[in-house]
Amino acid sequence: MQAGASKPIISAQDYLRLEREAPFKSEYVHGEIFAMAGGTVNHHTLVGNFYGLLWQQLAGRSCRAFTSDMKVRCDFWDSFVYPDISAACEPLTFFDEQRDAFSNPSLVVEVLSKGTEAYDRGEKFRLYRMIPSLVEYVLVSQRQPLVEVFRRIGESQWQLETFDAPESVFHLHSVDVEISLLQLIANVEFTTE
């Protein structure tokens, strides 16, 4: 590519066509496609534990939780991303008839890693904040027992609550669920790296 030349922009429809045929996952942000990296054993354990605790408490209710196989659509930024976990308590608003991307999550959870932490805290959180239905954004550390819950308290205001004591229990208002930090970090081996 020549100096000063811009990156090619791909349409959302072309991204979805390619993504649905691809052997790996990619996110689509502002007309660009970004391949997703694999996770560590701690990452998978934390995602599995969180999803399991969420799924148990949502059973029999109208709320639904999803793993990273479900795309979340941000209309404002014309983007599709794969949160580690997402949930909604109202009827899902799907992007198209494939029903593999929805645009009205009330909860999004990301497990932080070295390679994605800056993105999850910065650009990705900025993207999520533009989703009107989103009530809570949760960041989970895989380096230490730490959960950060960002809760919408106004149209453009967010309040942060942190939980780092193993006996902590945090309430997710968006789905009316309580999560025990001790249960969440079960089988996770934290390192000092």
Side-chain angles (χ1 to χ4, degrees), residues 54-87:
L54 199 56
W55 182 85
Q56 272 183 323
Q57 294 181 61
L58 294 180
R61 295 179 41 203
S62 61
C63 300
R64 297 170 72 180
F66 303 98
T67 61
S68 62
D69 287 331
M70 178 66 86
K71 291 181 280 299
V72 166
R73 165 78 176 164
C74 177
D75 293 326
F76 185 85
W77 293 113
D78 187 26
S79 300
F80 292 92
V81 293
Y82 287 98
D84 288 322
I85 298 169
S86 57

Side-chain angles (χ1 to χ4, degrees), residues 18-152:
L18 293 168
E19 182 68 8
R20 289 169 177 159
E21 298 171 0
F24 53 86
K25 290 191 250 182
S26 297
E27 293 188 332
Y28 174 80
V29 181
H30 310 299
E32 293 184 63
I33 296 176
F34 300 93
M36 296 181 65
T40 65
V41 68
N42 275 359
H43 185 277
H44 290 292
T45 302
L46 287 163
V47 169
N49 288 352
F50 203 118
Y51 179 76
L53 293 166
L54 199 56
W55 182 85
Q56 272 183 323
Q57 294 181 61
L58 294 180
R61 295 179 41 203
S62 61
C63 300
R64 297 170 72 180
F66 303 98
T67 61
S68 62
D69 287 331
M70 178 66 86
K71 291 181 280 299
V72 166
R73 165 78 176 164
C74 177
D75 293 326
F76 185 85
W77 293 113
D78 187 26
S79 300
F80 292 92
V81 293
Y82 287 98
D84 288 322
I85 298 169
S86 57
C89 289
E90 53 191 59
L92 299 178
T93 304
F94 292 104
F95 180 74
D96 62 18
E97 68 283 347
Q98 293 291 321
R99 299 171 56 97
D100 60 355
F102 75 110
S103 60
N104 61 326
S106 52
L107 169 69
V108 167
V109 179
E110 296 285 2
V111 174
L112 301 173
S113 64
K114 276 185 186 179
T116 65
E117 184 167 357
Y119 175 57
D120 289 339
R121 290 184 180 283
E123 182 73 12
K124 201 167 193 182
F125 187 24
R126 191 168 70 117
L127 182 148
Y128 286 138
R129 287 194 307 260
M130 299 309 292
I131 300 174
S133 62
L134 190 67
V135 174
E136 288 169 315
Y137 180 52
V138 179
L139 298 177
V140 180
S141 174
Q142 60 175 307
R143 289 180 286 145
Q144 59 183 319
L146 174 64
V147 172
E148 298 168 278
V149 178
F150 293 87
R151 188 170 295 115
R152 189 186 300 265

